[in-house]
Amino acid sequence: MKRIMIAGCSLLLAGSAGAQDSGPRIDDIVWPGIDSYCSFMRADHEFVFDDPGTWRWVLFTNYPEADAPDPIETPFMRIDNQLKQLVQTGVERIDGGVVRIYSSHDMEPYVVKLTLLEGAEGYESSAFSGTITVSRNGVSSDVAYKGDCGV
């Protein structure tokens, strides 16, 4: 019996170590009818306006307040199954866009790098694509995205 308990504890510890070695999980936010300023989905996702099951986002922002000059300053993501509001900590200009750097409000914060590559500008919105990289404790995950922001 003692050997079985030791073997079971060893398996549990091995599973925990494996989970720590993988990067943070970037989860979808399922929100049919979302009223957001920016809405970014996975690059391979097919959005159909009339199908609520396709309203799945990896990052979104609220509409800016009247005195807030930057609507992408505090986006939301679902990371490791928790909705996180992020705060911008930096911006780097790159060819064709910018990289925005964010941090979560956790004791051990997630660091998010959002590469915004500019796409076509429409009458009421501008298209963006790029990658979102989420890091914590020396490991990271990323996802390619597409979406738009209002203008």
Side-chain angles (χ1 to χ4, degrees):
M1 181 69 163
K2 189 174 184 180
R3 289 184 190 166
I4 293 173
M5 296 241 335
I6 291 172
C9 288
S10 296
L11 286 174
L12 285 173
L13 290 174
S16 296
Q20 291 172 352
D21 291 340
S22 65
R25 191 177 65 242
I26 301 169
D27 299 312
D28 288 345
I29 301 162
V30 180
W31 192 337
I34 192 172
D35 190 18
S36 58
Y37 185 79
C38 295
S39 301
F40 298 153
M41 67 190 90
R42 295 177 189 276
D44 61 354
H45 182 69
E46 188 64 37
F47 173 73
V48 178
F49 184 83
D50 293 326
D51 181 358
T54 66
W55 290 65
R56 307 176 73 82
W57 318 106
V58 290
L59 183 144
F60 76 90
T61 68
N62 287 326
Y63 280 93
E65 295 181 23
D67 61 344
D70 187 355
I72 311 177
E73 194 170 312
T74 56
F76 293 84
M77 288 186 69
R78 189 171 180 89
I79 305 169
D80 289 336
N81 206 33
Q82 297 289 317
L83 186 63
K84 303 287 183 184
Q85 183 176 20
L86 307 171
V87 62
Q88 186 171 290
T89 59
V91 178
E92 301 170 3
R93 297 241 173 255
I94 59 171
D95 189 29
V98 297
V99 175
R100 290 176 176 253
I101 303 160
Y102 301 96
S103 180
S104 69
H105 298 279
D106 299 286
M107 189 173 293
E108 290 183 44
Y110 293 94
V111 175
V112 176
K113 288 188 176 185
L114 171 65
T115 303
L116 283 161
L117 302 176
E118 298 169 2
E121 187 170 320
Y123 180 69
E124 293 183 349
S125 64
S126 294
F128 292 95
S129 63
T131 57
I132 302 170
T133 303
V134 180
S135 304
R136 186 183 204 189
N137 296 327
V139 292
S140 64
S141 299
D142 58 21
V143 63
Y145 78 89
K146 64 183 177 185
D148 57 32
C149 295
V151 291

